Amino acid sequence: MLEFYKNKKVLITGHTGFKGSWLSIWLNMLGAEVIGVALDPINKKDNYVLSGISSSIKDYREDIRKPDSVKEIVFKEKPEILFHLAAQPIVLDSYKKPVYTYETNVMGTVNMLETFRLSDSLKIGVFITTDKCYENIEKNYSYKETDPMGGYDPYSSSKGAAELAISSYRNSYFTEGDKKIASARAGNVIGGGDWSPYRLIVDIISALESNTKIKIRNPQAVRPWQHVLEPLGGYLILAAKMHMEQQYDEAWNFGPETENIVTVKQLLEEVIKYYGKGTWIDVSEKEKLHEATLLSLDITKAKNKLNWQPKLSFRETVQYTVDWYKKYKTENVMDLCTNQIKQYMKNMEHR
């Protein structure tokens, strides 16, 4: 299936980010010609920076809020496939910068939809949103792709609005012809090379490296934890199948199996166990901003129609993640990433 990408021209927005960097490395390994459009990496320790993937792809630094600049790049490079990942991705940041969040996540998505519509070369578009796009009723319920969009905080509601824009463009412009778009909703993604603020793994690793206590908000909050390669594998399968048939141009959930839907505390304790040290304190009472306490995805559709399923157990998810953070200072980061991708691809073949 993934051999489809050899010699394909693929545009990734947000390629300097956490998920974007891993996707860039994976597609480069598959023989694709990768074109990236994004802002600068936020941290000199980001996976994108340390892996050195920029030397193997076409690297454009541009803001998706500037549609003319992005169109110019697309019309020049003529990519065939689009993975739109660029976003303001942090819930707590969305409270501080709501206008920027909506500009980036809603209008940035609309700009990419319009660029896709006007491009002669682009035929397949996978637009990445989030599991938080759903109207979260915070009950023991796994959200299906047909459930209503919503969002309590600016980040979540911006992603719900983006989903509505994607659906509208699909219904208005892409029901016929050779252009197809889909949206993909993933859970809480973890893995090596993420240093974004307010992320649980980042907080844990930063505390471990500085030998300080790990400060945890909402230790009983339940999340669908998955390694970054899990949803990326889903996106790659989805785009390849969309190229073959029209029926896949719709919304898709890519989440973990039930055993990976655990509390913040359970994930924290597993990371500490595998890392080999660490203590933590609960700072929940000091946090006043709302964060959902319960969220999970129903992935039945992706399993049945795409033949995609998660490959990593909860323990393997943590091990893949912690391995990167334990080794990034002393080993070649590109080798770390490619070795994990190769191992994951073996899992895709044999499980």
Side-chain angles (χ1 to χ4, degrees):
M1 174 66 69
L2 298 188
E3 61 273 11
F4 161 79
Y5 288 97
K6 188 173 183 179
N7 299 322
K8 293 290 192 299
K9 295 189 76 170
V10 182
L11 172 65
I12 302 174
T13 67
H15 69 292
T16 60
F18 169 48
K19 289 171 74 175
S21 68
W22 280 94
L23 182 58
S24 298
I25 293 168
W26 198 342
L27 280 166
N28 185 64
M29 289 172 62
L30 294 172
E33 181 181 341
V34 178
I35 302 119
V37 174
L39 301 178
D40 292 337
I42 63 171
N43 192 304
K44 64 182 180 181
K45 296 193 295 184
D46 281 352
N47 190 53
Y48 181 81
V49 177
L50 296 184
S51 68
I53 184 59
S54 62
S55 63
S56 301
I57 67 174
K58 291 190 177 181
D59 178 13
Y60 288 94
R61 302 299 167 85
E62 193 52 82
D63 193 327
I64 60 169
R65 295 178 299 164
K66 299 178 180 179
D68 291 341
S69 299
V70 175
K71 286 174 189 171
E72 184 178 340
I73 295 168
V74 171
F75 296 168
K76 173 188 173 184
E77 295 291 347
K78 296 180 169 43
E80 306 159 69
I81 301 162
L82 165 65
F83 291 100
H84 173 54
L85 284 78
Q88 191 298 95
I90 308 298
V91 172
L92 293 180
D93 272 352
S94 76
Y95 284 106
K96 300 175 184 177
K97 299 181 288 186
V99 174
Y100 174 75
T101 299
Y102 286 111
E103 286 177 344
T104 303
N105 295 353
V106 182
M107 284 312 302
T109 298
V110 171
N111 290 339
M112 292 313 303
L113 286 163
E114 186 67 358
T115 298
F116 183 90
R117 183 176 76 88
L118 297 175
S119 166
D120 290 332
S121 62
L122 282 170
K123 303 302 180 185
I124 303 297
V126 178
F127 289 75
I128 314 305
T129 62
T130 175
D131 57 354
K132 297 176 182 63
C133 67
Y134 292 106
E135 184 65 51
N136 191 356
I137 58 176
E138 300 211 32
K139 293 183 179 179
N140 188 20
Y141 175 81
S142 295
Y143 294 94
K144 300 179 179 66
E145 288 85 349
T146 52
D147 284 324
M149 299 293 97
Y152 181 100
D153 55 85
Y155 168 77
S156 301
S157 63
S158 74
K159 288 296 194 173
E163 282 280 357
L164 295 177
I166 295 163
S167 177
S168 176
Y169 260 75
R170 179 168 49 239
N171 294 333
S172 299
Y173 303 111
F174 308 131
T175 56
E176 299 178 355
D178 59 355
K179 285 181 175 284
K180 307 167 192 175
I181 62 172
S183 64
R185 306 156 184 176
N188 281 49
V189 176
I190 63 177
D194 183 12
W195 296 100
S196 301
Y198 309 118
R199 293 264 174 86
L200 177 61
I201 291 294
V202 180
D203 291 345
I204 294 172
I205 297 298
S206 298
L208 292 173
E209 290 188 346
S210 61
N211 291 310
T212 58
K213 288 187 176 181
I214 305 162
K215 296 179 180 179
I216 296 298
R217 306 183 307 271
N218 304 321
Q220 299 307 318
V222 176
R223 294 286 185 271
W225 310 103
Q226 58 186 156
H227 190 269
V228 62
L229 296 180
E230 299 273 38
L232 293 185
Y235 307 161
L236 290 171
I237 291 170
L238 172 59
K241 291 204 171 188
M242 286 170 66
H243 185 265
M244 301 171 195
E245 300 179 52
Q246 188 81 28
Q247 62 177 308
Y248 300 103
D249 55 340
E250 46 194 32
W252 300 88
N253 286 341
F254 296 102
E257 299 286 10
T258 304
E259 71 153 27
N260 283 37
I261 304 174
V262 302
T263 64
V264 167
K265 180 182 177 183
Q266 287 172 283
L267 177 67
L268 166 65
E269 291 177 343
E270 189 70 17
V271 171
I272 289 174
K273 175 184 173 182
Y274 195 70
Y275 199 91
K277 66 175 185 177
T279 58
W280 64 280
I281 57 172
D282 184 350
V283 296
S284 300
E285 293 182 0
K286 299 177 183 178
E287 299 292 338
K288 297 181 180 179
L289 298 177
H290 174 272
E291 284 189 277
T293 57
L294 182 63
L295 184 62
S296 65
L297 294 176
D298 185 323
I299 56 174
T300 304
K301 178 181 168 183
K303 283 182 172 182
N304 292 342
K305 294 188 176 181
L306 290 178
N307 197 29
W308 170 90
Q309 60 183 2
K311 303 299 180 183
L312 301 179
S313 67
F314 176 60
R315 178 171 294 178
E316 289 171 324
T317 298
V318 173
Q319 288 179 351
Y320 268 55
T321 301
V322 175
D323 272 346
W324 192 101
Y325 287 106
K326 290 178 76 173
K327 296 175 180 177
Y328 78 94
K329 291 183 179 180
T330 58
E331 297 188 16
N332 182 285
V333 171
M334 178 60 83
D335 289 344
L336 272 176
C337 294
T338 55
N339 287 338
Q340 288 195 347
I341 292 170
K342 288 175 183 176
Q343 183 59 50
Y344 184 78
M345 290 176 70
K346 288 182 181 177
N347 290 337
M348 290 178 74
E349 294 171 0
H350 296 130
R351 290 191 183 182

